[in-house]
Amino acid sequence: MKKILTLLAVAVALLTTVPAQAQVKFGLKGGVNVTNMSFSSDVLDATNRAGFFIGPTVKFTLPIVGLGVDASALYDQREGKAKISSDKAEVESDNTIKQQQVVIPINLRYGVGLGSTASVFFFAGPQFGFNVGDKTQTLYEQVADWRLKSSNFSVNVGAGFMLMSHLQLSANYNIACGHTGDVELKSTAADALSQIAGFKKGSRANAWQIGLAYYF
């Protein structure tokens, strides 16, 4: 929590350096995640799952034509199912592994007007995430755990459509920079998986995101 508050304070300090003549709008943003979870091992595989995000957002339109900055504080949930397989065995589980976090994306955006009522924009920027859910989750009983890191860093790249200066639809790809968690086999792992005992590999949770925001 201390890290989250510190980062929020830094973000506010940076955003307050925006020129006074910039237009500021507050709003609410929500949407869906389609997580592409990948493991750095040929014995692990994962299937995509849908999640969601929601929270407040703020947008600064800079006095330079077309340029702007937006920042949000979002509750973000991502899910996935995993499978462990080897030459000797394949283990499947109905358990869904879940990542719950507070994320703070800060994007630089550039917009192009399509008349007086609509515009398209492109954006990119860093995102800071802090896990608030269970950091250790069981992948397979007596076989393996998934251990989430307390925080993570990622980058957003995307585009969107703005209507009547209030309604915004966007799509982006969230790229994890570094591992978001580690998979560890337990010492009591089944004999069929003993050939990879002590196994510890990282995982990444990239996601396609579709968001809808309304600015007041």
Side-chain angles (χ1 to χ4, degrees), residues 10-31:
V10 171
V12 170
L14 290 174
L15 294 173
T16 53
T17 62
V18 175
Q21 60 268 40
Q23 184 182 29
V24 181
K25 286 191 175 182
F26 294 91
L28 184 65
K29 183 178 183 179

Side-chain angles (χ1 to χ4, degrees), residues 25-197:
K25 286 191 175 182
F26 294 91
L28 184 65
K29 183 178 183 179
V32 295
N33 294 314
V34 179
T35 304
N36 178 18
M37 188 175 295
S38 61
F39 298 95
S40 54
S41 170
D42 57 4
V43 299
L44 284 165
D45 192 18
T47 55
N48 293 344
R49 279 300 192 92
F52 68 93
F53 57 90
I54 189 169
T57 185
V58 60
K59 181 181 67 170
F60 297 85
T61 302
L62 303 178
I64 302 175
V65 176
L67 287 181
V69 177
D70 66 57
S72 306
L74 309 172
Y75 171 78
D76 180 291
Q77 179 176 303
R78 305 182 184 192
E79 298 181 351
K81 276 191 175 182
K83 176 178 67 178
I84 293 180
S85 62
S86 69
D87 294 337
K88 295 182 179 181
E90 180 174 297
V91 180
E92 294 190 9
S93 172
D94 291 332
N95 294 333
T96 299
I97 53 178
K98 182 183 298 184
Q99 181 181 23
Q100 298 168 288
Q101 56 182 344
V102 173
V103 297
I104 304 174
I106 303 174
N107 297 310
L108 179 66
R109 49 196 286 162
Y110 178 75
V112 179
L114 300 176
S116 59
T117 60
S119 64
V120 295
F121 65 95
F122 306 90
F123 63 93
Q127 176 170 292
F128 305 90
F130 301 90
N131 288 307
V132 295
D134 293 335
K135 294 182 175 63
T136 300
Q137 299 177 37
T138 299
L139 284 175
Y140 311 95
E141 193 65 31
Q142 304 299 321
V143 177
D145 284 336
W146 187 42
R147 301 184 186 277
L148 279 165
K149 296 185 180 298
S150 297
S151 60
N152 60 80
F153 176 77
S154 58
V155 175
N156 291 315
V157 178
F161 182 78
M162 198 79 190
L163 181 65
M164 301 295 293
S165 299
H166 292 286
L167 189 63
Q168 173 184 291
L169 177 66
S170 63
N172 68 276
Y173 192 57
N174 176 244
I175 307 167
C177 300
H179 292 161
T180 55
D182 293 309
V183 177
E184 298 179 349
L185 288 182
K186 300 179 180 179
S187 58
T188 56
D191 291 340
L193 294 173
S194 61
Q195 63 185 25
I196 50 174

